[in-house]
Amino acid sequence: MSKGEVDIAGRIDRLEEIAETLEDGEVDLTTAKELREEADDHLETLRDALDVGDGELIEIDGEDAELERAE
C-alpha cells in the first residue's frame, strides 16, 4: 500500500474494536478519552478517503471507459 492509500478495512476494524472497548465500560476516563480521540482521527481519515465530491453520478459507456483506461 502506498503512502497516499488508506487502509479502509483496517480503520473500520479498529473503530469496531474501540467501540467494543468503550461499550464494555471497563476503561478509565483517560483511556476512554484517548480512544475517542483515536476514533475521531480514524473517522476523519475515512471521510476524506471516501469523499466523492458532490455525489453526482455519471454514466459512461464502454467506449469512454476504454479511453480512460488508456490514459
Side-chain angles (χ1 to χ4, degrees):
M1 183 177 315
S2 73
K3 202 174 190 180
E5 292 180 21
V6 174
D7 178 12
I8 293 171
R11 288 185 182 265
I12 291 172
D13 288 344
R14 180 61 184 143
L15 284 168
E16 290 174 350
E17 290 172 6
I18 290 170
E20 289 173 11
T21 301
L22 292 173
E23 287 172 354
D24 287 344
E26 296 184 19
V27 294
D28 58 56
L29 189 56
T30 303
T31 303
K33 184 179 182 231
E34 291 169 355
L35 289 171
R36 169 61 193 265
E37 290 170 356
E38 180 185 347
D40 288 344
D41 290 341
H42 287 303
L43 288 170
E44 183 178 344
T45 300
L46 287 170
R47 280 188 200 104
D48 291 342
L50 298 172
D51 184 19
V52 293
D54 62 8
E56 182 179 331
L57 297 176
I58 59 170
E59 281 189 50
I60 58 173
D61 62 25
E63 187 175 309
D64 290 337
E66 290 299 321
L67 289 174
E68 287 182 9
R69 262 190 239 131
E71 293 175 355

